[in-house]
Amino acid sequence: MSGDLQIESHQGPYRVSFGAITEAGLLGDGQAVNRHLIDANVARLHGDVLAPILDRPTTVLLEATEERKSLEQIVPVIEELIAGSCRRDDVLVAIGGGIVQDITCFIASTLLRGLRWRFIPTTLLAQADSCIGSKSSINLRSTKNILGTFNPPEEVLIDSRFLDTLEPEDVRSGIGEIIKVHVIDGPETFHRLAEDFSLLENDRAELERYVADSLRIKKRFIEADEFDRGLRNVMNYGHSFGHAIESATGFGIPHGISVTIGMDMANHIAGARGLLDLGYRDAVHEVCRKNYEDSLGVPIPLAALLEALSRDKKNVGTSVNLILPSGAGAGMEKVAVELDEEFRRQCQEFLEGLLR
Ligand code: NAD
């Protein structure tokens, strides 16, 4: 289909295709055994589309929760695959959002020293963002995404019909990652998104266009720096705060909405330190706030947030490495910020501002 993308990776190119999933898309090329790891909610809500694979003995249903996306709780999934005689030339097929993707990709990286895998993303976040980029991330007890690998899928099939059944909160979570890449791409791209913003929740064609645009922006960064050693770091904009918010709220706020609050918080810190033009900060704030407003009922305790930030895997010494927009072009820069009293006060100001 036109608009399909090809992503270059260290394991060669892979294709991202848009359109209705066919039986062949579900079953693969028939050369290898495809083992489907399906989000249990998606299996329940999309039984019609998934009918050809639901009752197969090789199909595994997964509960998509952060607790299940942990080293401890993926063991039974691995045991089920082994009990089903999974072999090295089998292909794992993830059907779900970022959680099923992370579990499948992680298992594919390690089981039998590596299996191939394909991905059919069913959330907006996974379609617009996580489906490309090779990363898997697994929690270790309450420490989010501390274990992981780089392992690209063999192909990604994006069918927007899955989005019909998402909860509004999960739609806004995906929109959070769409906002993120558009801010990273620069003010011109952000202002275009800001103008269309009200269409995203109600106009499917417009949303699909933004999904494809988001992947095109992300493609540039992941192809230049797949292993996240330099240029790709800017994709972590909003994520240090976002992960800390998820942790401080016991995952009470979905990932992409936590990232939306995290971008706004990063901009607040950048503005307070004279790095970011305040007019632009306020323009981004207006869009972010619309996206996270309905999630503000969940309290974000400052002490727990700072504690989680102090454990961020990107920290060096007593500073936290934040991606902050900076300068006239609001370009993203990695800035080491001391976890001191001034930082604590700026975080507190921001959190108090959320409740006004
Ligand atoms: P998710 O996988 O957490 O799912 C959210 C909820 O939506 C679950 O209840 C799930 O059952 C349900 N769901 C999934 N598809 C549905 C559908 N079509 N209709 C109705 N309900 C559906 O959602 P997510 O936001 O895609 O993923 C978040 C996770 O992704 C986090 O753990 C985050 O850390 C991870 N992530 C990974 C990467 C990466 O590159 N590997 C990038 C970003 C985020």
Side-chain angles (χ1 to χ4, degrees):
M1 186 172 161
S2 70
D4 289 358
L5 293 175
Q6 178 162 297
I7 310 291
E8 303 298 328
S9 81
H10 70 286
Q11 289 180 21
Y14 61 97
R15 195 157 195 79
V16 180
S17 309
F18 298 86
I21 298 281
T22 60
E23 191 163 333
L26 288 171
L27 294 173
D29 60 10
Q31 306 292 308
V33 174
N34 276 238
R35 294 176 182 271
H36 299 87
L37 283 76
I38 310 177
D39 182 320
N41 284 329
V42 177
R44 185 171 46 80
L45 294 165
H46 295 275
D48 48 348
V49 177
L50 302 178
I53 52 171
L54 279 185
D55 294 327
R56 294 185 144 216
T58 44
T59 292
V60 178
L61 296 188
L62 300 175
E63 297 298 329
T65 62
E66 286 292 336
E67 293 72 32
R68 291 294 172 101
K69 199 189 92 166
S70 65
L71 189 63
E72 302 78 19
Q73 296 204 25
I74 63 168
V75 172
V77 182
I78 297 172
E79 284 171 340
E80 191 171 341
L81 288 166
I82 294 170
S85 307
C86 182
R87 288 171 214 269
R88 284 196 75 182
D89 48 6
D90 294 354
V91 179
L92 303 186
V93 187
I95 304 180
I99 288 189
V100 171
Q101 170 189 358
D102 274 341
I103 294 171
T104 307
C105 179
F106 188 81
I107 293 176
S109 306
T110 46
L111 181 58
L112 303 173
R113 298 203 186 83
L115 300 170
R116 294 175 292 150
W117 74 288
R118 305 192 291 120
F119 187 26
I120 299 174
T122 63
T123 61
L124 181 59
L125 181 139
Q127 295 194 353
D129 176 58
S130 67
C131 67
I132 60 170
S134 308
K135 286 185 182 176
S136 74
S137 302
I138 291 286
N139 308 326
L140 182 64
R141 299 196 176 83
S142 63
T143 310
K144 166 97 179 159
N145 288 351
I146 192 79
L147 301 167
T149 58
F150 288 95
N151 182 18
E154 282 203 330
E155 69 170 346
V156 178
L157 304 175
I158 296 185
D159 182 340
S160 69
R161 289 175 301 173
F162 286 113
L163 306 181
D164 294 343
T165 51
L166 284 177
E167 295 293 332
E169 195 175 48
D170 289 313
V171 173
R172 288 195 297 275
S173 183
I175 290 176
E177 297 282 3
I178 292 176
I179 298 172
K180 183 195 79 174
V181 287
H182 282 74
V183 178
I184 289 172
D185 205 41
E188 199 182 316
T189 311
F190 165 72
H191 286 304
R192 184 167 53 77
L193 171 79
E195 271 179 28
D196 292 339
F197 192 72
S198 59
L199 301 174
L200 292 184
E201 280 196 56
N202 307 311
D203 183 332
R204 178 53 57 81
E206 197 67 9
L207 182 63
E208 285 175 14
R209 193 165 67 76
Y210 273 97
V211 165
D213 282 355
S214 299
L215 294 178
R216 262 182 230 109
I217 296 170
K218 182 170 177 180
K219 170 181 156 77
R220 290 206 316 271
F221 291 90
I222 59 176
E223 287 186 342
D225 177 25
E226 187 179 358
F227 297 113
D228 206 2
R229 299 280 176 210
L231 184 70
R232 183 177 174 177
N233 291 176
V234 302
M235 286 284 149
N236 288 324
Y237 172 48
H239 276 66
S240 292
F241 285 121
H243 286 153
I245 290 165
E246 287 183 275
S247 166
T249 59
F251 300 113
I253 302 180
H255 178 75
I257 298 180
S258 298
V259 168
T260 316
I261 302 173
M263 289 187 274
D264 202 17
M265 197 160 182
N267 292 359
H268 177 81
I269 301 287
R273 287 164 189 244
L275 296 172
L276 180 64
D277 172 75
L278 298 185
Y280 187 59
R281 177 199 68 183
D282 292 346
V284 178
H285 167 74
E286 205 177 302
V287 170
C288 288
R289 173 116 197 165
K290 281 185 205 152
N291 200 49
Y292 64 60
E293 203 148 43
D294 288 349
S295 303
L296 290 178
V298 179
I300 307 173
L302 176 65
L305 180 128
L306 291 172
E307 211 276 316
L309 265 182
S310 72
R311 284 187 280 116
D312 191 283
K313 57 185 178 290
K314 296 176 284 298
N315 287 356
V316 180
T318 55
S319 354
V320 57
N321 272 320
L322 297 176
I323 303 297
L324 300 179
S326 165
M332 295 293 157
E333 275 181 26
K334 192 192 279 184
V335 181
V337 175
E338 218 30 62
L339 288 163
D340 58 10
E341 186 47 36
E342 183 192 9
F343 180 70
R344 201 193 79 84
R345 200 181 62 259
Q346 288 168 348
C347 291
Q348 185 172 13
E349 262 164 30
F350 176 82
L351 292 180
E352 286 171 359
L354 286 180
L355 304 175
R356 271 183 227 125

